[in-house]
Amino acid sequence: AKAWKKDSPGAGARNDALRAIKRFGRTLWRRWSGYHRRSRVETKMNCMKLLGQKLMSRDFDRQTAELQVRIAILNRFTALGIPVTQPVG
């Protein structure tokens, strides 16, 4: 990646991240910055939005239950996609 011009919005933070990656390596930078965790959260929020953009319930307790159902669905989908490995022999 190339450094951005200094007059671009957000260029300072991006250029700092590029310098850190170049100096310490991408793996250490991810741990230090929390990038991996943030990326995983963004991915899960996108999955939540695929199940519906809005909450249907108006009552707070029902909204909580609705979110818990969506999370249970996502967890079930994730469990179905994880292979079960067994030792052979």
Side-chain angles (χ1 to χ4, degrees):
K2 287 186 175 182
W4 287 355
K5 295 178 183 176
K6 292 185 179 182
D7 59 346
S8 302
R14 182 179 188 274
N15 292 341
D16 289 343
L18 288 176
R19 278 193 290 279
I21 290 170
K22 189 173 185 178
R23 185 171 181 185
F24 301 114
R26 188 176 301 270
T27 304
L28 286 176
W29 172 77
R30 282 183 183 161
R31 282 193 203 135
W32 171 75
S33 67
Y35 177 81
H36 184 64
R37 177 175 284 180
R38 187 168 54 243
S39 174
R40 291 181 68 173
V41 169
E42 288 174 3
T43 303
K44 281 299 170 191
M45 286 305 296
N46 185 38
C47 292
M48 287 283 290
K49 287 181 180 180
L50 292 175
L51 294 175
Q53 288 285 348
K54 296 181 180 179
L55 295 175
M56 303 302 265
S57 305
R58 292 186 179 182
D59 183 47
F60 180 74
D61 292 334
R62 290 182 180 171
Q63 287 178 347
T64 304
E66 186 177 338
L67 287 174
Q68 288 174 345
V69 168
R70 289 184 188 188
I71 291 169
I73 291 169
L74 285 176
N75 288 339
R76 182 66 179 149
F77 286 161
T78 303
L80 290 172
I82 295 175
V84 178
T85 57
Q86 297 177 351
V88 178

Coordinates of all heavy atoms in Angstrom, one line a residue:
A1 N 0.8 -1.2 0.0 CA 0.0 0.0 0.0 C 0.9 1.2 0.0 O 2.0 1.2 0.6 CB -0.9 0.0 1.2
K2 N 0.4 2.3 -0.6 CA 1.1 3.5 -0.7 C 0.5 4.5 0.3 O -0.7 4.5 0.6 CB 1.0 4.2 -2.0 CG 1.9 3.5 -3.1 CD 1.8 4.3 -4.4 CE 2.8 3.7 -5.4 NZ 2.8 4.5 -6.6
A3 N 1.3 5.4 0.9 CA 0.8 6.4 1.8 C 0.0 7.4 1.0 O 0.3 7.7 -0.2 CB 2.0 7.1 2.4
W4 N -1.0 7.9 1.7 CA -1.9 8.9 1.0 C -1.3 10.3 1.2 O -0.4 10.5 2.1 CB -3.3 8.9 1.7 CG -4.1 7.8 1.3 CD1 -3.9 6.8 0.4 CD2 -5.4 7.5 1.9 NE1 -4.9 5.9 0.4 CE2 -5.9 6.3 1.2 CE3 -6.2 8.0 2.8 CZ2 -7.1 5.7 1.5 CZ3 -7.4 7.5 3.1 CH2 -7.9 6.3 2.5
K5 N -1.8 11.3 0.4 CA -1.3 12.6 0.5 C -1.9 13.2 1.8 O -2.9 12.8 2.3 CB -1.9 13.5 -0.6 CG -1.3 13.1 -2.0 CD -1.9 13.9 -3.1 CE -1.4 13.5 -4.4 NZ -2.0 14.2 -5.5
K6 N -1.1 14.1 2.4 CA -1.5 14.6 3.8 C -2.8 15.4 3.8 O -3.4 15.5 4.8 CB -0.3 15.4 4.3 CG 0.9 14.6 4.7 CD 1.9 15.5 5.3 CE 3.1 14.6 5.6 NZ 4.2 15.3 6.3
D7 N -3.2 15.9 2.7 CA -4.4 16.7 2.6 C -5.7 15.9 2.5 O -6.8 16.4 2.5 CB -4.4 17.8 1.5 CG -4.2 17.1 0.1 OD1 -3.8 16.0 0.1 OD2 -4.4 17.9 -0.9
S8 N -5.6 14.6 2.3 CA -6.7 13.7 2.2 C -7.3 13.5 3.6 O -6.6 13.4 4.6 CB -6.3 12.3 1.6 OG -5.7 12.5 0.4
P9 N -8.7 13.3 3.7 CA -9.3 13.0 5.0 C -8.9 11.7 5.5 O -9.0 10.7 4.8 CB -10.8 13.2 4.8 CG -10.9 13.1 3.3 CD -9.6 13.5 2.7
G10 N -8.5 11.6 6.7 CA -8.1 10.3 7.3 C -6.7 9.8 6.9 O -6.3 8.7 7.3
A11 N -5.9 10.6 6.2 CA -4.6 10.2 5.7 C -3.6 10.0 6.9 O -2.8 9.1 6.8 CB -4.1 11.2 4.8
G12 N -3.7 10.8 7.9 CA -2.8 10.7 9.0 C -2.9 9.3 9.7 O -1.9 8.7 9.9
A13 N -4.1 8.9 10.0 CA -4.3 7.6 10.7 C -3.9 6.5 9.8 O -3.2 5.5 10.3 CB -5.7 7.5 11.1
R14 N -4.2 6.6 8.5 CA -3.9 5.5 7.6 C -2.4 5.4 7.4 O -1.8 4.3 7.4 CB -4.6 5.7 6.3 CG -4.3 4.6 5.3 CD -5.0 4.8 4.0 NE -4.9 3.7 3.1 CZ -3.8 3.5 2.3 NH1 -2.8 4.3 2.2 NH2 -3.8 2.4 1.5
N15 N -1.7 6.5 7.3 CA -0.3 6.5 7.1 C 0.4 6.0 8.3 O 1.4 5.3 8.2 CB 0.2 7.9 6.7 CG -0.3 8.3 5.3 OD1 -0.7 7.4 4.5 ND2 -0.3 9.6 5.0
D16 N -0.1 6.3 9.5 CA 0.5 5.8 10.8 C 0.4 4.3 10.8 O 1.3 3.6 11.2 CB -0.2 6.4 12.0 CG 0.2 7.9 12.2 OD1 1.2 8.3 11.6 OD2 -0.5 8.6 12.9
A17 N -0.8 3.8 10.4 CA -1.0 2.4 10.4 C -0.1 1.7 9.4 O 0.5 0.6 9.7 CB -2.5 2.0 10.0
L18 N 0.1 2.3 8.3 CA 1.1 1.7 7.3 C 2.5 1.7 7.8 O 3.2 0.7 7.6 CB 1.0 2.5 6.0 CG -0.3 2.3 5.1 CD1 -0.2 3.2 3.9 CD2 -0.4 0.9 4.7
R19 N 2.9 2.7 8.5 CA 4.2 2.7 9.1 C 4.4 1.7 10.1 O 5.4 1.0 10.2 CB 4.5 4.1 9.7 CG 5.0 5.1 8.6 CD 5.6 6.4 9.3 NE 4.6 7.2 10.0 CZ 3.8 8.1 9.3 NH1 3.9 8.2 8.0 NH2 3.0 8.8 10.0
A20 N 3.4 1.5 11.0 CA 3.4 0.5 12.0 C 3.5 -0.9 11.4 O 4.2 -1.8 11.9 CB 2.2 0.6 12.9
I21 N 2.7 -1.2 10.3 CA 2.7 -2.5 9.7 C 4.1 -2.7 9.1 O 4.6 -3.8 9.2 CB 1.6 -2.5 8.6 CG1 0.2 -2.5 9.2 CG2 1.8 -3.7 7.7 CD1 -0.9 -2.4 8.2
K22 N 4.7 -1.7 8.5 CA 6.0 -1.9 7.9 C 7.1 -2.2 8.9 O 7.9 -3.0 8.7 CB 6.3 -0.6 7.1 CG 7.6 -0.8 6.2 CD 7.8 0.4 5.3 CE 9.0 0.2 4.4 NZ 9.1 1.3 3.5
R23 N 6.9 -1.5 10.1 CA 8.0 -1.7 11.1 C 7.8 -3.0 11.9 O 8.8 -3.6 12.2 CB 7.9 -0.5 12.0 CG 9.0 -0.5 13.1 CD 9.0 0.8 13.8 NE 10.1 0.8 14.8 CZ 10.3 1.8 15.6 NH1 9.6 2.8 15.6 NH2 11.3 1.7 16.5
F24 N 6.6 -3.3 12.3 CA 6.4 -4.4 13.2 C 5.8 -5.7 12.5 O 5.8 -6.7 13.1 CB 5.4 -4.0 14.4 CG 6.0 -2.9 15.2 CD1 5.3 -1.7 15.2 CD2 7.1 -3.0 15.9 CE1 5.8 -0.6 15.9 CE2 7.6 -2.0 16.7 CZ 6.9 -0.7 16.7
G25 N 5.3 -5.5 11.3 CA 4.6 -6.6 10.7 C 3.1 -6.6 10.9 O 2.6 -6.0 11.8
R26 N 2.4 -7.2 9.9 CA 0.9 -7.1 10.0 C 0.3 -7.9 11.2 O -0.6 -7.4 11.8 CB 0.4 -7.7 8.7 CG -1.1 -7.5 8.5 CD -1.6 -8.0 7.2 NE -1.0 -7.4 6.1 CZ -1.5 -6.3 5.5 NH1 -2.6 -5.7 6.0 NH2 -0.8 -5.7 4.5
T27 N 0.9 -9.0 11.6 CA 0.4 -9.8 12.7 C 0.4 -9.0 14.0 O -0.6 -8.9 14.7 CB 1.1 -11.1 12.8 OG1 1.1 -11.8 11.6 CG2 0.5 -12.0 13.9
L28 N 1.6 -8.4 14.3 CA 1.7 -7.6 15.5 C 0.8 -6.4 15.5 O 0.2 -6.0 16.5 CB 3.1 -7.2 15.8 CG 4.1 -8.3 16.2 CD1 5.5 -7.8 16.4 CD2 3.6 -8.9 17.6
W29 N 0.7 -5.8 14.3 CA -0.1 -4.6 14.2 C -1.6 -4.9 14.5 O -2.3 -4.2 15.1 CB 0.0 -4.0 12.8 CG -1.0 -2.9 12.6 CD1 -0.9 -1.6 13.1 CD2 -2.2 -3.0 11.8 NE1 -2.0 -0.9 12.6 CE2 -2.8 -1.7 11.9 CE3 -2.8 -4.0 11.1 CZ2 -4.0 -1.5 11.2 CZ3 -4.0 -3.7 10.5 CH2 -4.6 -2.5 10.6
R30 N -2.1 -6.1 14.0 CA -3.4 -6.5 14.2 C -3.7 -6.7 15.7 O -4.8 -6.3 16.2 CB -3.7 -7.8 13.5 CG -4.0 -7.6 12.0 CD -4.3 -8.9 11.4 NE -4.5 -8.8 9.9 CZ -4.5 -9.7 9.1 NH1 -4.3 -11.0 9.5 NH2 -4.6 -9.5 7.8
R31 N -2.8 -7.4 16.4 CA -3.0 -7.6 17.8 C -3.0 -6.2 18.6 O -3.8 -6.0 19.5 CB -1.9 -8.5 18.4 CG -2.1 -9.9 18.1 CD -1.1 -10.8 18.9 NE -1.0 -12.0 18.2 CZ 0.1 -12.7 18.1 NH1 1.3 -12.2 18.5 NH2 0.2 -13.8 17.4
W32 N -2.0 -5.4 18.2 CA -1.9 -4.1 18.9 C -3.1 -3.2 18.7 O -3.6 -2.5 19.6 CB -0.6 -3.4 18.4 CG -0.4 -2.0 18.9 CD1 -0.1 -1.6 20.1 CD2 -0.7 -0.8 18.1 NE1 -0.1 -0.2 20.2 CE2 -0.4 0.3 19.0 CE3 -1.0 -0.6 16.8 CZ2 -0.6 1.6 18.5 CZ3 -1.1 0.7 16.4 CH2 -0.9 1.8 17.2
S33 N -3.6 -3.1 17.4 CA -4.7 -2.2 17.1 C -6.1 -2.8 17.4 O -7.0 -2.1 17.4 CB -4.6 -1.8 15.7 OG -4.8 -2.9 14.8
G34 N -6.2 -4.1 17.6 CA -7.5 -4.8 17.7 C -8.2 -4.9 16.4 O -9.4 -5.0 16.4
Y35 N -7.5 -4.8 15.3 CA -8.1 -4.8 14.0 C -8.9 -6.1 13.7 O -10.0 -6.0 13.2 CB -7.1 -4.7 12.9 CG -7.6 -4.7 11.5 CD1 -8.2 -3.7 10.9 CD2 -7.6 -5.9 10.8 CE1 -8.8 -3.7 9.6 CE2 -8.1 -6.0 9.5 CZ -8.7 -4.9 8.9 OH -9.3 -5.0 7.7
H36 N -8.4 -7.2 14.1 CA -9.0 -8.5 13.8 C -10.4 -8.6 14.5 O -11.4 -9.0 13.9 CB -8.1 -9.7 14.3 CG -8.7 -11.0 13.9 ND1 -8.9 -11.4 12.7 CD2 -9.1 -12.0 14.7 CE1 -9.4 -12.7 12.7 NE2 -9.5 -13.0 13.9
R37 N -10.4 -8.2 15.8 CA -11.7 -8.2 16.5 C -12.7 -7.3 15.9 O -13.9 -7.6 15.8 CB -11.4 -7.9 18.0 CG -12.7 -7.8 18.8 CD -12.4 -7.6 20.3 NE -11.9 -8.8 20.8 CZ -11.5 -8.9 22.1 NH1 -11.5 -7.9 22.9 NH2 -11.1 -10.1 22.6
R38 N -12.2 -6.1 15.6 CA -13.1 -5.1 15.0 C -13.7 -5.7 13.6 O -14.9 -5.5 13.3 CB -12.4 -3.8 14.8 CG -13.2 -2.7 14.3 CD -12.5 -1.3 14.4 NE -11.2 -1.3 13.7 CZ -10.1 -1.1 14.3 NH1 -10.0 -0.9 15.6 NH2 -9.0 -1.1 13.6
S39 N -12.9 -6.3 12.9 CA -13.3 -6.8 11.6 C -14.3 -7.9 11.8 O -15.3 -8.0 11.0 CB -12.1 -7.4 10.8 OG -12.4 -8.1 9.7
R40 N -14.1 -8.8 12.8 CA -15.1 -9.9 13.0 C -16.4 -9.3 13.5 O -17.5 -9.8 13.1 CB -14.5 -10.8 14.1 CG -13.3 -11.6 13.5 CD -12.8 -12.6 14.5 NE -13.8 -13.6 14.8 CZ -13.6 -14.7 15.5 NH1 -12.4 -14.8 16.0 NH2 -14.5 -15.6 15.7
V41 N -16.4 -8.3 14.3 CA -17.6 -7.6 14.8 C -18.4 -7.0 13.6 O -19.6 -7.2 13.5 CB -17.3 -6.6 15.9 CG1 -18.6 -5.7 16.2 CG2 -16.8 -7.3 17.1
E42 N -17.7 -6.3 12.7 CA -18.3 -5.7 11.5 C -19.0 -6.8 10.7 O -20.1 -6.6 10.2 CB -17.3 -4.9 10.7 CG -16.9 -3.7 11.4 CD -15.8 -2.9 10.7 OE1 -15.4 -3.4 9.6 OE2 -15.3 -1.9 11.2
T43 N -18.3 -8.0 10.5 CA -18.9 -9.0 9.7 C -20.1 -9.6 10.4 O -21.1 -9.9 9.7 CB -17.8 -10.2 9.6 OG1 -16.7 -9.6 9.0 CG2 -18.3 -11.3 8.7
K44 N -20.1 -9.8 11.7 CA -21.3 -10.3 12.4 C -22.5 -9.3 12.3 O -23.6 -9.7 12.2 CB -21.0 -10.6 13.8 CG -20.3 -12.0 14.0 CD -21.1 -13.1 13.5 CE -20.4 -14.4 13.4 NZ -21.1 -15.4 12.7
M45 N -22.2 -8.0 12.4 CA -23.2 -7.0 12.3 C -23.8 -7.0 10.9 O -25.1 -6.9 10.8 CB -22.7 -5.6 12.7 CG -22.4 -5.4 14.1 SD -23.9 -5.8 15.2 CE -25.0 -4.5 14.6
N46 N -23.0 -7.3 9.9 CA -23.6 -7.4 8.6 C -24.5 -8.6 8.5 O -25.6 -8.5 7.9 CB -22.5 -7.5 7.5 CG -23.0 -7.5 6.1 OD1 -23.9 -6.8 5.8 ND2 -22.4 -8.3 5.3
C47 N -24.1 -9.7 9.1 CA -25.0 -10.9 9.1 C -26.3 -10.6 9.9 O -27.4 -11.1 9.4 CB -24.2 -12.1 9.8 SG -22.8 -12.7 8.9
M48 N -26.2 -9.9 11.0 CA -27.4 -9.5 11.7 C -28.4 -8.7 10.8 O -29.6 -8.9 10.8 CB -27.1 -8.7 13.0 CG -26.5 -9.5 14.1 SD -27.6 -10.5 15.0 CE -28.5 -9.2 15.8
K49 N -27.8 -7.8 10.0 CA -28.6 -7.0 9.2 C -29.3 -7.8 8.1 O -30.3 -7.4 7.6 CB -27.8 -5.8 8.6 CG -27.4 -4.8 9.6 CD -26.6 -3.7 8.9 CE -26.3 -2.6 10.0 NZ -25.5 -1.5 9.3
L50 N -28.7 -8.9 7.6 CA -29.2 -9.7 6.6 C -30.5 -10.4 7.1 O -31.4 -10.7 6.3 CB -28.2 -10.8 6.1 CG -27.0 -10.2 5.4 CD1 -26.1 -11.4 5.1 CD2 -27.5 -9.6 4.1
L51 N -30.6 -10.6 8.4 CA -31.9 -11.1 9.0 C -33.0 -10.1 9.2 O -34.1 -10.5 9.6 CB -31.5 -11.8 10.4 CG -30.6 -13.0 10.3 CD1 -30.3 -13.5 11.7 CD2 -31.2 -14.1 9.5
G52 N -32.7 -8.9 8.9 CA -33.7 -7.8 9.0 C -33.1 -6.5 9.4 O -32.3 -6.5 10.3
Q53 N -33.4 -5.4 8.6 CA -32.8 -4.1 8.9 C -33.3 -3.5 10.2 O -32.6 -2.8 10.9 CB -33.1 -3.2 7.7 CG -32.3 -3.5 6.5 CD -30.8 -3.1 6.6 OE1 -30.4 -2.4 7.5 NE2 -30.0 -3.6 5.7
K54 N -34.6 -3.8 10.5 CA -35.2 -3.1 11.6 C -35.8 -4.2 12.6 O -36.0 -5.3 12.3 CB -36.4 -2.3 11.2 CG -36.1 -1.1 10.3 CD -37.3 -0.3 10.0 CE -37.0 0.8 9.1 NZ -38.2 1.6 8.8
L55 N -36.0 -3.7 13.8 CA -36.7 -4.6 14.8 C -38.2 -4.4 14.6 O -38.6 -3.3 14.4 CB -36.3 -4.2 16.2 CG -34.8 -4.4 16.6 CD1 -34.5 -3.9 18.0 CD2 -34.4 -5.9 16.5
M56 N -38.9 -5.5 14.7 CA -40.3 -5.4 14.5 C -41.1 -5.0 15.8 O -42.1 -4.3 15.7 CB -40.9 -6.7 14.0 CG -40.2 -7.3 12.8 SD -40.4 -6.1 11.4 CE -41.8 -6.8 10.6
S57 N -40.5 -5.3 16.9 CA -41.2 -5.1 18.2 C -41.0 -3.6 18.6 O -40.0 -3.0 18.3 CB -40.6 -6.0 19.3 OG -40.7 -7.3 18.9
R58 N -41.9 -3.1 19.4 CA -41.8 -1.8 19.9 C -41.4 -1.8 21.4 O -40.8 -0.9 21.9 CB -43.2 -1.0 19.8 CG -43.5 -0.7 18.3 CD -44.7 0.1 18.2 NE -45.0 0.4 16.8 CZ -46.0 1.1 16.4 NH1 -46.8 1.7 17.3 NH2 -46.2 1.4 15.2
D59 N -41.8 -2.8 22.1 CA -41.5 -2.9 23.5 C -40.0 -3.3 23.7 O -39.5 -4.2 22.9 CB -42.4 -3.9 24.1 CG -42.2 -4.1 25.6 OD1 -42.1 -3.0 26.3 OD2 -42.1 -5.2 26.1
F60 N -39.3 -2.7 24.6 CA -37.9 -3.0 24.8 C -37.6 -4.5 25.1 O -36.7 -5.1 24.6 CB -37.3 -2.1 25.9 CG -35.9 -2.4 26.1 CD1 -34.9 -1.9 25.2 CD2 -35.4 -3.1 27.3 CE1 -33.6 -2.1 25.4 CE2 -34.1 -3.3 27.5 CZ -33.2 -2.8 26.5
D61 N -38.5 -5.1 26.0 CA -38.2 -6.5 26.4 C -38.4 -7.4 25.1 O -37.7 -8.4 25.0 CB -39.2 -6.9 27.5 CG -38.9 -6.2 28.8 OD1 -37.7 -5.9 29.0 OD2 -39.8 -6.0 29.6
R62 N -39.4 -7.1 24.3 CA -39.6 -7.9 23.1 C -38.5 -7.7 22.1 O -38.1 -8.6 21.4 CB -41.0 -7.5 22.5 CG -42.1 -8.1 23.4 CD -43.4 -7.8 22.8 NE -44.5 -8.3 23.6 CZ -45.7 -8.0 23.4 NH1 -46.1 -7.3 22.4 NH2 -46.7 -8.5 24.3
Q63 N -38.0 -6.4 22.0 CA -36.8 -6.2 21.2 C -35.6 -7.0 21.6 O -34.9 -7.6 20.8 CB -36.5 -4.7 21.2 CG -37.4 -3.8 20.4 CD -37.0 -2.3 20.5 OE1 -36.2 -1.9 21.3 NE2 -37.7 -1.5 19.7
T64 N -35.4 -7.1 22.9 CA -34.3 -7.9 23.4 C -34.5 -9.4 23.1 O -33.6 -10.0 22.6 CB -34.3 -7.8 25.0 OG1 -34.1 -6.4 25.3 CG2 -33.1 -8.5 25.5
A65 N -35.7 -9.8 23.2 CA -36.0 -11.2 22.8 C -35.8 -11.5 21.3 O -35.3 -12.5 20.9 CB -37.4 -11.6 23.2
E66 N -36.2 -10.5 20.5 CA -36.0 -10.6 19.1 C -34.6 -10.7 18.7 O -34.2 -11.5 17.8 CB -36.7 -9.4 18.4 CG -36.7 -9.5 16.9 CD -37.5 -8.3 16.3 OE1 -38.3 -7.6 17.0 OE2 -37.2 -8.0 15.1
L67 N -33.7 -9.8 19.3 CA -32.3 -9.9 19.1 C -31.7 -11.2 19.5 O -30.8 -11.8 18.8 CB -31.6 -8.7 19.7 CG -31.8 -7.4 19.1 CD1 -31.2 -6.3 19.9 CD2 -31.3 -7.3 17.7
Q68 N -32.2 -11.7 20.7 CA -31.6 -13.0 21.1 C -32.0 -14.1 20.2 O -31.2 -15.1 20.0 CB -32.2 -13.3 22.5 CG -31.5 -12.4 23.6 CD -32.2 -12.6 25.0 OE1 -33.2 -13.1 25.1 NE2 -31.5 -12.1 26.0
V69 N -33.2 -14.1 19.6 CA -33.6 -15.1 18.6 C -32.7 -15.0 17.4 O -32.2 -16.0 16.8 CB -35.1 -14.9 18.2 CG1 -35.4 -15.7 17.0 CG2 -36.0 -15.3 19.4
R70 N -32.4 -13.8 16.9 CA -31.5 -13.6 15.7 C -30.1 -14.1 16.0 O -29.5 -14.8 15.2 CB -31.4 -12.1 15.3 CG -32.7 -11.6 14.7 CD -32.5 -10.2 14.3 NE -33.7 -9.6 13.8 CZ -33.8 -8.4 13.3 NH1 -32.7 -7.7 13.1 NH2 -35.0 -7.9 12.9
I71 N -29.6 -13.9 17.2 CA -28.3 -14.4 17.6 C -28.3 -15.9 17.7 O -27.3 -16.5 17.2 CB -27.9 -13.7 18.9 CG1 -27.6 -12.2 18.7 CG2 -26.6 -14.4 19.5 CD1 -27.4 -11.4 20.0
A72 N -29.4 -16.5 18.2 CA -29.5 -17.9 18.2 C -29.4 -18.5 16.8 O -28.8 -19.6 16.6 CB -30.7 -18.4 19.0
I73 N -30.1 -17.8 15.9 CA -30.1 -18.3 14.5 C -28.7 -18.3 13.9 O -28.2 -19.2 13.3 CB -31.1 -17.5 13.7 CG1 -32.6 -17.8 14.1 CG2 -30.9 -17.7 12.2 CD1 -33.6 -16.8 13.5
L74 N -28.0 -17.1 14.2 CA -26.7 -17.0 13.6 C -25.7 -18.0 14.3 O -24.9 -18.6 13.6 CB -26.1 -15.6 13.9 CG -26.6 -14.5 13.0 CD1 -26.1 -13.1 13.5 CD2 -26.3 -14.7 11.6
N75 N -25.9 -18.3 15.5 CA -25.0 -19.3 16.2 C -25.3 -20.7 15.6 O -24.4 -21.5 15.5 CB -25.3 -19.3 17.7 CG -24.7 -18.1 18.4 OD1 -23.8 -17.4 17.8 ND2 -25.1 -17.7 19.5
R76 N -26.6 -21.0 15.3 CA -26.9 -22.3 14.8 C -26.3 -22.4 13.4 O -25.8 -23.5 13.0 CB -28.4 -22.4 14.7 CG -28.9 -23.7 14.2 CD -28.5 -24.9 15.1 NE -29.0 -26.1 14.5 CZ -28.4 -27.3 14.7 NH1 -27.3 -27.4 15.4 NH2 -28.9 -28.3 14.1
F77 N -26.4 -21.3 12.6 CA -25.8 -21.4 11.2 C -24.3 -21.6 11.3 O -23.7 -22.4 10.6 CB -26.1 -20.1 10.5 CG -27.5 -19.9 10.0 CD1 -28.0 -18.7 9.6 CD2 -28.3 -21.0 9.8 CE1 -29.3 -18.6 9.1 CE2 -29.6 -20.9 9.3 CZ -30.1 -19.7 9.0
T78 N -23.7 -20.9 12.3 CA -22.2 -21.1 12.5 C -21.9 -22.5 12.9 O -20.9 -23.1 12.4 CB -21.7 -20.1 13.5 OG1 -22.0 -18.8 13.1 CG2 -20.2 -20.2 13.7
A79 N -22.7 -23.1 13.8 CA -22.5 -24.5 14.2 C -22.6 -25.5 13.1 O -21.9 -26.4 13.0 CB -23.4 -24.8 15.4
L80 N -23.6 -25.2 12.2 CA -23.8 -26.1 11.1 C -22.6 -26.0 10.1 O -22.3 -27.0 9.4 CB -25.1 -25.8 10.3 CG -26.3 -26.1 11.1 CD1 -27.5 -25.5 10.3 CD2 -26.5 -27.6 11.3
G81 N -21.9 -24.9 10.0 CA -20.8 -24.7 9.1 C -19.5 -25.2 9.6 O -18.5 -25.3 8.8
I82 N -19.4 -25.5 10.9 CA -18.1 -25.9 11.5 C -18.0 -27.5 11.3 O -18.8 -28.2 11.7 CB -18.0 -25.6 12.9 CG1 -18.0 -24.0 13.1 CG2 -16.7 -26.2 13.6 CD1 -18.0 -23.6 14.5
P83 N -16.9 -27.9 10.6 CA -16.7 -29.4 10.4 C -16.4 -30.1 11.8 O -15.7 -29.6 12.6 CB -15.6 -29.5 9.5 CG -14.8 -28.3 9.7 CD -15.8 -27.2 10.0
V84 N -16.9 -31.3 11.9 CA -16.6 -32.1 13.1 C -15.5 -33.1 12.6 O -15.7 -33.9 11.8 CB -17.9 -32.9 13.5 CG1 -17.6 -33.8 14.7 CG2 -19.0 -31.9 13.9
T85 N -14.4 -32.9 13.2 CA -13.2 -33.8 12.9 C -13.1 -34.9 13.9 O -13.2 -34.6 15.1 CB -11.9 -33.0 12.7 OG1 -11.7 -32.3 14.0 CG2 -12.1 -32.0 11.6
Q86 N -12.7 -36.1 13.5 CA -12.5 -37.2 14.4 C -11.2 -37.9 14.0 O -10.9 -38.0 12.8 CB -13.6 -38.2 14.3 CG -15.0 -37.6 14.8 CD -16.1 -38.6 14.6 OE1 -16.0 -39.7 14.0 NE2 -17.3 -38.3 15.2
P87 N -10.4 -38.3 15.0 CA -9.2 -39.0 14.6 C -9.5 -40.3 14.0 O -10.4 -41.0 14.3 CB -8.5 -39.2 16.0 CG -9.6 -39.1 17.0 CD -10.6 -38.2 16.4
V88 N -8.7 -40.7 13.0 CA -8.8 -42.0 12.3 C -7.7 -42.9 12.8 O -6.6 -42.6 12.9 CB -8.7 -41.7 10.8 CG1 -8.8 -43.0 10.0 CG2 -9.7 -40.8 10.3
G89 N -8.1 -44.1 13.0 CA -7.2 -45.2 13.4 C -7.2 -45.6 14.7 O -7.2 -45.7 15.7

